Amino acid sequence: MLIQPNNHRENHLKAFIKTFGCQMNVNDSEYIAGQLVKLGYSLTEDIFESNLILLNTCCVRAKVEQKIYSLIGKIKKIKENNSNVILGICGCMAQKEKENIFKRAPYVDFIFSPSQVNNLEEITNTVKYGNKKYISCENAPEFSFNHIPVKRESKISAWIQIMRGCNNYCSYCVVPYTRGPEQSRGVSEIVSEVKILAKNKYKEMFLLGQNVNSYGNDLSQSATFSKLLELLNNINGIERIRFTTSHPKDFSFDLIKTIKKCNKICNHIHLPIQSGSNKILKMMNRKYDINYYNNIIKEIRNNIDNIAITTDAMVGFPGETEEDFMDTLRAFKEIEFDEAYTFIYSNRENAIASILPDQVPLKLKKERLWRLIELQKDISTKINKKLEGEILEVLVDKKSKKNIKNQFSGRTGTNKTVVFTGKQDLLGELVKVKIIKSSPWTLYGELI
Ligand code: SAM
Ligand code: SF4
């Protein structure tokens, strides 16, 4: 619940940004923050002392969208108490809902797509001084962050969007409708950014895209994801390169060779399976079957030692029978993912699957999700247990969430979280940790 404050400090420009959804949104917010700071705003985590409230939204699942609309409703009270506050909505939900947001919440002042970030001055001036609403949800013709300042949350690991949008039209997904077609960022822009980050002592580069394997398909120069990885691997100073997400249909042997060859690319691949049933995969328009998926996993494991594989999967897609779901359970048992992000299918009105018959009842979807999570928990427990006694290299990236004195956490190259007792000056360092205890989600160790 939002509680009304007694007073407001309005003399200064203060911006409150709340981000929903994936890492790409987090990175978009970092650019929005950078741009706002350039315009004279300071950033605040206290919504009540802000005079600009910005929600960077997601709409992949209906629940998040409901949550965002509910927050917008609560912000109405803040605006009623302080007429200086302006409210903007950007991101996927803004691009999906467009003017509907004004209809449902007339007190929203502006709506924009993340590619309008360089227009934030014009946008906020139109609202504040022109006393008008502003909406622009189009994507810019090219995807570039050139000349846009960025205020990153971490000083160790940097999100780097290499592409935006998606051409795949999985039948359940709204992303191609909200973010538009794939747009790759130019190779030289990405390379320059990574060089600057390396100079600023960033250790880990996390490359982002909805389907990084198709990077470069829309660029005139002959750019491929593998070539980009090789270029980045040669930049001095950085220690680790990660990327997400890989679509199985585009996962090439060339990429496997590149991961094997490039010493800075982490031993972790996130490869969403979505379902283990060929019937459901076809209805999802995923463009691969389970045989194809299993073969990629085999190739990856045969060629890269000690590789962690994680996945996304969904239960309750329309028409999913118990047999189809058992196929997913079987695939999970056979493949043994290190970790899985599991979701209940959510009906999105723009996506083709929303008109499919045989929507699975929510109770059944919840039951299947629980069964899948329990199975994965057992698998992750078994995999992590085997790591007890091993010495792993960890990039220390934060104080432990539980805020226990001297407890820090970091990640292994295989993307496992390791908690251990350490010191502040280890932040950003690669250290060796001996694993003494494990849980399905976390490893606990002692600094060597
Ligand atoms: N581009 C990535 C890919 O194809 O794997 C994933 C991006 S999507 C935003 C992240 C995950 O959300 C998907 O892998 C999928 O499991 C899940 N997802 C997408 N649409 C969904 C829906 N309508 N209901 C439930 N989960 C969904
Ligand atoms: Fe959505 Fe499929 Fe594109 Fe991923 S690949 S963003 S799931 S349409």
Side-chain angles (χ1 to χ4, degrees):
M1 268 298 280
L2 295 176
I3 302 157
Q4 295 304 308
N6 298 326
N7 59 352
H8 310 284
R9 278 162 276 154
E10 292 161 356
N11 296 337
H12 299 99
L13 294 173
K14 289 207 167 173
F16 171 89
I17 304 172
K18 169 122 182 108
T19 310
F20 297 83
C22 63
Q23 298 104 323
M24 298 181 84
N25 273 12
V26 174
N27 185 231
D28 279 335
S29 289
E30 291 178 334
Y31 280 97
I32 292 169
Q35 187 71 2
L36 288 173
V37 168
K38 185 176 150 195
L39 298 179
Y41 282 86
S42 57
L43 303 172
T44 174
E45 288 182 6
D46 178 358
I47 195 167
F48 297 111
E49 68 165 19
S50 65
N51 34 39
L52 189 159
I53 300 175
L54 228 161
L55 307 184
N56 188 3
T57 61
C58 167
C59 64
V60 169
R61 282 166 287 276
K63 233 182 178 171
V64 197
E65 202 174 321
Q66 287 151 12
K67 208 166 131 189
I68 297 166
Y69 265 122
S70 145
L71 177 60
I72 294 174
K74 287 173 185 165
I75 294 170
K76 182 181 182 197
K77 290 212 176 70
I78 298 182
K79 289 201 63 176
E80 281 167 358
N81 274 324
N82 183 353
S83 59
N84 286 330
V85 173
I86 60 172
L87 169 61
I89 314 289
C90 74
C92 276
M93 191 185 105
Q95 288 185 278
K96 169 178 161 283
E97 289 283 280
K98 301 188 176 86
E99 283 86 359
N100 275 341
I101 296 179
F102 286 145
K103 283 186 199 145
R104 276 183 72 166
Y107 44 89
V108 168
D109 298 293
F110 59 103
I111 299 169
F112 67 107
S113 77
S115 62
Q116 305 286 332
V117 58
N118 51 345
N119 291 337
L120 265 173
E121 182 166 26
E122 185 201 323
I123 298 174
T124 48
N125 283 347
T126 306
V127 172
K128 285 199 287 192
Y129 309 116
N131 222 357
K132 281 194 219 143
K133 293 206 179 289
Y134 181 102
I135 179 160
S136 175
C137 294
E138 302 313 310
N139 284 323
E142 271 181 27
F143 178 27
S144 166
F145 283 122
N146 255 342
H147 309 300
I148 302 174
V150 57
K151 197 166 180 345
R152 296 187 181 276
E153 283 181 4
S154 165
K155 291 191 170 12
I156 299 161
S157 182
W159 307 114
I160 299 165
Q161 292 182 63
I162 61 166
M163 56 195 302
R164 212 172 233 175
C166 182
N167 293 346
N168 288 319
Y169 290 93
C170 300
S171 65
Y172 51 80
C173 184
V174 288
V175 171
Y177 305 94
T178 58
R179 290 298 172 112
E182 280 171 8
Q183 289 178 305
S184 305
R185 249 176 111 191
V187 175
S188 54
E189 189 183 315
I190 298 170
V191 170
S192 321
E193 182 176 16
V194 171
K195 282 184 178 162
I196 293 169
L197 286 162
K199 250 194 208 153
N200 290 328
K201 309 243 177 308
Y202 276 81
K203 296 286 168 62
E204 185 175 77
M205 306 293 129
F206 211 128
L207 312 181
L208 302 174
Q210 292 299 353
N211 177 11
V212 288
N213 311 71
S214 56
Y215 172 79
N217 286 355
D218 58 318
L219 295 176
S220 48
Q221 75 235 73
S222 64
T224 65
F225 185 51
S226 295
K227 280 190 197 155
L228 177 71
L229 284 172
E230 283 188 38
L231 284 174
L232 300 183
N233 192 65
N234 290 334
I235 296 174
N236 286 333
I238 60 169
E239 307 270 3
R240 285 180 169 185
I241 301 170
R242 297 185 182 280
F243 55 86
T244 196
T245 298
S246 298
H247 194 302
K249 79 173 170 57
D250 297 315
F251 203 94
S252 64
F253 192 70
D254 192 38
L255 181 58
I256 297 179
K257 275 197 318 209
T258 306
I259 298 171
K260 192 174 173 177
K261 186 167 75 181
C262 297
N263 63 327
K264 293 177 184 170
I265 302 180
C266 287
N267 276 12
H268 169 223
I269 291 169
H270 184 67
L271 197 66
I273 185 171
Q274 308 301 359
S275 168
S277 151
N278 283 338
K279 179 191 102 190
I280 298 295
L281 285 171
K282 193 149 198 261
M283 287 165 76
M284 285 177 166
N285 192 29
R286 288 290 287 179
K287 302 188 183 88
Y288 55 84
D289 62 16
I290 195 64
N291 224 359
Y292 186 89
Y293 187 90
N294 280 331
N295 280 336
I296 303 172
I297 299 285
K298 233 184 259 161
E299 287 291 347
I300 293 171
R301 286 185 170 151
N302 284 344
N303 284 284
I304 312 168
D305 293 336
N306 185 30
I307 185 96
I309 300 176
T310 57
T311 201
D312 289 352
M314 200 183 298
V315 298
F317 185 83
E320 185 190 70
T321 60
E322 176 63 19
E323 231 173 57
D324 296 319
F325 175 62
M326 291 295 285
D327 286 344
T328 302
L329 291 180
R330 189 174 317 114
F332 267 54
K333 275 184 204 149
E334 284 171 11
I335 296 167
E336 298 198 326
F337 295 108
D338 287 77
E339 207 177 322
Y341 299 89
T342 48
F343 306 101
I344 283 184
Y345 165 77
S346 170
N347 219 26
R348 309 309 291 127
E349 68 253 44
N350 291 0
I352 291 167
S354 65
I355 54 165
L356 291 177
D358 297 332
Q359 299 277 336
V360 178
L362 182 61
K363 192 164 169 248
L364 194 51
K365 288 198 248 191
K366 282 187 176 167
E367 186 207 302
R368 286 182 186 163
L369 181 72
W370 182 81
R371 286 162 68 193
L372 190 58
I373 290 173
E374 284 301 302
L375 170 62
Q376 183 54 45
K377 204 168 139 192
D378 288 347
I379 297 167
S380 298
T381 303
K382 189 175 100 183
I383 294 176
N384 285 353
K385 191 98 196 139
K386 281 193 200 147
L387 295 172
E388 289 179 10
E390 286 207 15
I391 294 170
L392 304 178
E393 190 177 63
V394 174
L395 177 62
V396 188
D397 55 14
K398 46 175 107 65
K399 276 219 76 167
S400 160
K401 268 189 204 148
K402 288 187 181 143
N403 233 352
I404 301 172
K405 199 169 168 239
N406 293 336
Q407 265 214 353
F408 288 81
S409 81
R411 275 168 304 121
T412 62
T414 51
N415 208 33
K416 296 193 187 280
T417 301
V418 180
V419 174
F420 62 96
T421 304
K423 281 197 239 134
Q424 188 75 14
D425 57 6
L426 292 179
L427 280 171
E429 297 297 319
L430 281 167
V431 298
K432 300 262 188 232
V433 178
K434 182 171 182 180
I435 307 305
I436 47 172
K437 204 175 91 182
S438 67
S439 79
W441 331 119
T442 312
L443 303 172
Y444 301 88
E446 280 167 359
L447 199 61
I448 299 281

Coordinates of all heavy atoms in Angstrom, one line a residue, residues 22 60-61 166 168 170 172-175 209-211 245-248 270-272 274 286 312-314 341 343-348 351, ligand 1:
C22 N 12.2 -8.2 -17.8 CA 13.5 -8.8 -18.1 C 14.7 -7.9 -18.0 O 14.6 -6.7 -17.7 CB 13.5 -9.4 -19.5 SG 13.3 -8.2 -20.7
V60 N 4.6 -9.6 -20.7 CA 4.7 -11.0 -21.2 C 3.6 -11.9 -20.6 O 3.0 -12.7 -21.3 CB 6.1 -11.5 -20.9 CG1 6.2 -13.0 -21.2 CG2 7.1 -10.8 -21.8
R61 N 3.3 -11.7 -19.3 CA 2.3 -12.4 -18.6 C 1.2 -11.5 -18.1 O 1.6 -10.3 -17.7 CB 2.8 -13.3 -17.5 CG 3.5 -14.6 -18.1 CD 4.4 -15.3 -17.1 NE 5.6 -14.6 -16.8 CZ 6.7 -14.7 -17.5 NH1 6.7 -15.4 -18.6 NH2 7.8 -14.0 -17.2
C166 N 11.8 -9.0 -32.1 CA 11.8 -10.4 -32.4 C 11.0 -10.7 -33.7 O 10.0 -10.1 -33.9 CB 11.3 -11.2 -31.2 SG 11.3 -13.0 -31.5
N168 N 10.2 -14.0 -34.4 CA 9.8 -15.4 -34.3 C 8.4 -15.8 -34.2 O 7.9 -16.9 -34.5 CB 10.7 -16.1 -33.2 CG 12.1 -16.2 -33.7 OD1 12.4 -16.6 -34.8 ND2 13.0 -15.9 -32.8
C170 N 6.4 -16.8 -31.8 CA 5.9 -17.9 -31.0 C 4.5 -17.6 -30.7 O 4.1 -16.5 -30.3 CB 6.7 -18.1 -29.7 SG 8.5 -18.4 -30.1
Y172 N 2.4 -17.9 -28.4 CA 1.9 -17.4 -27.1 C 2.5 -16.1 -26.7 O 2.1 -15.5 -25.7 CB 2.4 -18.4 -26.0 CG 3.9 -18.7 -26.1 CD1 4.8 -17.8 -25.6 CD2 4.4 -19.9 -26.8 CE1 6.2 -18.1 -25.7 CE2 5.7 -20.1 -26.9 CZ 6.6 -19.2 -26.4 OH 8.0 -19.4 -26.5
C173 N 3.3 -15.5 -27.5 CA 4.2 -14.4 -27.0 C 3.8 -13.1 -27.7 O 3.6 -12.9 -28.9 CB 5.6 -14.7 -27.4 SG 6.8 -13.5 -26.7
V174 N 3.8 -12.0 -26.8 CA 3.5 -10.7 -27.3 C 4.7 -9.9 -27.8 O 4.5 -8.8 -28.4 CB 2.8 -9.8 -26.2 CG1 1.4 -10.3 -25.9 CG2 3.6 -9.7 -25.0
V175 N 5.9 -10.4 -27.5 CA 7.1 -9.5 -27.8 C 7.1 -9.0 -29.2 O 7.4 -7.8 -29.4 CB 8.4 -10.2 -27.3 CG1 9.6 -9.5 -27.8 CG2 8.4 -10.4 -25.8
G209 N 19.5 -10.1 -26.0 CA 18.6 -10.1 -27.1 C 17.6 -11.1 -27.0 O 17.8 -12.1 -26.3
Q210 N 16.4 -11.0 -27.7 CA 15.4 -12.0 -27.6 C 15.9 -13.3 -28.3 O 15.5 -14.4 -27.9 CB 14.1 -11.6 -28.2 CG 13.4 -10.5 -27.5 CD 13.0 -10.8 -26.1 OE1 13.1 -12.0 -25.7 NE2 12.5 -9.9 -25.3
N211 N 16.7 -13.2 -29.3 CA 17.3 -14.3 -30.0 C 18.7 -14.0 -30.5 O 18.8 -13.6 -31.6 CB 16.3 -14.7 -31.1 CG 16.9 -15.9 -31.9 OD1 17.8 -16.5 -31.5 ND2 16.3 -16.1 -33.1
T245 N 19.0 -14.4 -24.9 CA 18.6 -15.8 -24.9 C 18.9 -16.4 -26.3 O 18.9 -15.7 -27.3 CB 17.0 -15.8 -24.7 OG1 16.7 -15.2 -23.5 CG2 16.5 -17.2 -24.7
S246 N 19.1 -17.7 -26.3 CA 19.4 -18.4 -27.5 C 18.2 -19.2 -27.9 O 17.6 -19.9 -27.1 CB 20.5 -19.4 -27.3 OG 21.7 -18.8 -26.9
H247 N 17.7 -19.0 -29.1 CA 16.6 -19.8 -29.6 C 17.2 -21.1 -30.2 O 18.1 -21.1 -31.0 CB 15.8 -19.0 -30.7 CG 14.5 -19.6 -31.0 ND1 14.3 -20.9 -31.4 CD2 13.3 -19.1 -30.9 CE1 13.0 -21.1 -31.6 NE2 12.4 -20.0 -31.3
P248 N 16.6 -22.3 -29.8 CA 17.2 -23.5 -30.2 C 17.2 -23.7 -31.8 O 18.2 -24.2 -32.3 CB 16.2 -24.6 -29.7 CG 15.6 -23.9 -28.5 CD 15.5 -22.5 -28.8
H270 N 21.7 -20.6 -21.8 CA 20.3 -20.6 -21.5 C 19.5 -20.9 -22.8 O 19.6 -20.2 -23.8 CB 19.9 -19.3 -20.9 CG 18.5 -19.2 -20.5 ND1 18.0 -20.0 -19.4 CD2 17.4 -18.6 -21.0 CE1 16.7 -19.8 -19.3 NE2 16.3 -19.0 -20.2
L271 N 18.9 -22.1 -22.8 CA 18.2 -22.6 -24.1 C 16.8 -23.0 -23.8 O 16.5 -24.1 -23.4 CB 19.1 -23.7 -24.6 CG 18.8 -24.1 -26.1 CD1 19.3 -23.0 -27.0 CD2 19.6 -25.4 -26.4
P272 N 15.9 -22.0 -23.9 CA 14.5 -22.3 -23.6 C 13.9 -23.5 -24.4 O 14.0 -23.5 -25.6 CB 13.7 -21.0 -23.9 CG 14.8 -20.0 -23.8 CD 16.0 -20.6 -24.3
Q274 N 10.6 -24.7 -23.6 CA 9.2 -24.4 -23.6 C 8.3 -25.6 -23.3 O 7.4 -25.5 -22.5 CB 8.7 -23.6 -24.8 CG 9.6 -22.4 -25.2 CD 9.6 -21.3 -24.1 OE1 9.0 -21.5 -23.0 NE2 10.4 -20.3 -24.3
R286 N 7.4 -23.1 -32.4 CA 8.8 -22.9 -32.0 C 9.8 -23.4 -33.1 O 11.0 -23.1 -33.0 CB 9.0 -23.8 -30.7 CG 8.4 -23.1 -29.5 CD 9.1 -21.9 -29.1 NE 10.4 -22.1 -28.5 CZ 11.2 -21.1 -28.0 NH1 10.8 -19.8 -28.2 NH2 12.3 -21.4 -27.5
D312 N 13.8 -22.3 -20.1 CA 12.5 -21.7 -19.8 C 11.5 -22.8 -20.2 O 11.7 -23.4 -21.3 CB 12.2 -20.5 -20.6 CG 12.9 -19.3 -20.2 OD1 13.7 -19.3 -19.2 OD2 12.8 -18.3 -20.9
A313 N 10.5 -23.0 -19.4 CA 9.4 -23.9 -19.9 C 8.1 -23.4 -19.4 O 8.0 -22.7 -18.4 CB 9.7 -25.3 -19.4
M314 N 7.0 -23.8 -20.1 CA 5.7 -23.3 -19.8 C 4.8 -24.5 -19.6 O 4.9 -25.5 -20.4 CB 5.3 -22.5 -21.1 CG 4.2 -21.6 -20.9 SD 3.9 -20.9 -22.5 CE 5.4 -20.1 -22.9
Y341 N 13.5 -21.8 -15.5 CA 12.5 -20.8 -15.2 C 11.1 -21.3 -15.7 O 11.0 -21.5 -16.9 CB 12.8 -19.5 -15.8 CG 14.1 -19.0 -15.3 CD1 15.3 -19.3 -16.0 CD2 14.2 -18.1 -14.2 CE1 16.6 -18.9 -15.5 CE2 15.4 -17.7 -13.7 CZ 16.6 -18.1 -14.3 OH 17.8 -17.7 -13.8
F343 N 6.9 -21.4 -16.1 CA 5.8 -20.4 -16.1 C 4.5 -21.1 -16.4 O 4.5 -22.2 -17.1 CB 6.0 -19.4 -17.2 CG 7.3 -18.7 -17.2 CD1 8.4 -19.0 -18.0 CD2 7.6 -17.6 -16.3 CE1 9.6 -18.4 -18.0 CE2 8.8 -17.0 -16.2 CZ 9.8 -17.4 -17.1
I344 N 3.5 -20.5 -15.9 CA 2.1 -20.9 -16.2 C 1.7 -20.2 -17.5 O 1.9 -19.0 -17.6 CB 1.1 -20.6 -15.1 CG1 1.3 -21.6 -14.0 CG2 -0.3 -20.5 -15.6 CD1 0.3 -21.4 -12.8
Y345 N 1.2 -20.9 -18.5 CA 0.9 -20.2 -19.8 C -0.2 -19.1 -19.4 O -1.1 -19.3 -18.7 CB 0.2 -21.2 -20.8 CG -0.5 -20.5 -21.9 CD1 0.2 -19.9 -22.9 CD2 -1.9 -20.4 -21.9 CE1 -0.5 -19.2 -23.9 CE2 -2.6 -19.7 -22.9 CZ -1.9 -19.1 -23.9 OH -2.5 -18.5 -24.9
S346 N 0.1 -17.9 -20.0 CA -0.8 -16.8 -19.7 C -1.3 -16.3 -21.1 O -0.6 -16.1 -22.0 CB 0.1 -15.7 -19.1 OG -0.6 -14.5 -19.0
N347 N -2.6 -16.2 -21.1 CA -3.3 -15.9 -22.4 C -3.1 -14.4 -22.7 O -3.5 -13.5 -21.9 CB -4.8 -16.1 -22.2 CG -5.4 -16.7 -23.5 OD1 -4.7 -17.3 -24.3 ND2 -6.7 -16.5 -23.7
R348 N -2.4 -14.1 -23.8 CA -2.2 -12.7 -24.2 C -3.0 -12.3 -25.4 O -2.8 -13.0 -26.4 CB -0.7 -12.4 -24.4 CG 0.2 -12.9 -23.4 CD -0.1 -12.4 -22.0 NE 0.1 -11.0 -21.7 CZ -0.9 -10.2 -21.2 NH1 -2.1 -10.6 -20.9 NH2 -0.6 -8.9 -21.0
A351 N -1.5 -12.4 -29.0 CA -0.9 -13.6 -29.4 C -1.9 -14.6 -30.0 O -3.0 -14.7 -29.5 CB 0.0 -14.2 -28.3
Ligands
SAM1 N1 13.1 -14.8 -26.5 C1 13.2 -15.8 -25.5 C2 13.0 -17.2 -26.0 O1 12.4 -17.3 -27.1 O2 13.3 -18.1 -25.4 C3 12.3 -15.6 -24.3 C4 11.7 -14.3 -24.0 S1 10.2 -14.4 -23.1 C5 10.0 -12.7 -22.8 C6 10.8 -15.1 -21.6 C7 10.0 -16.4 -21.3 O3 8.7 -16.0 -20.9 C8 9.8 -17.3 -22.5 O4 10.9 -18.2 -22.7 C9 8.6 -18.1 -22.1 O5 8.9 -19.3 -21.3 C10 7.8 -17.1 -21.1 N2 6.6 -16.6 -21.8 C11 6.5 -15.8 -22.9 N3 5.2 -15.6 -23.2 C12 4.5 -16.3 -22.2 C13 3.1 -16.4 -22.0 N4 2.2 -15.9 -22.8 N5 2.7 -17.1 -20.9 C14 3.7 -17.7 -20.1 N6 5.0 -17.6 -20.2 C15 5.4 -16.9 -21.3

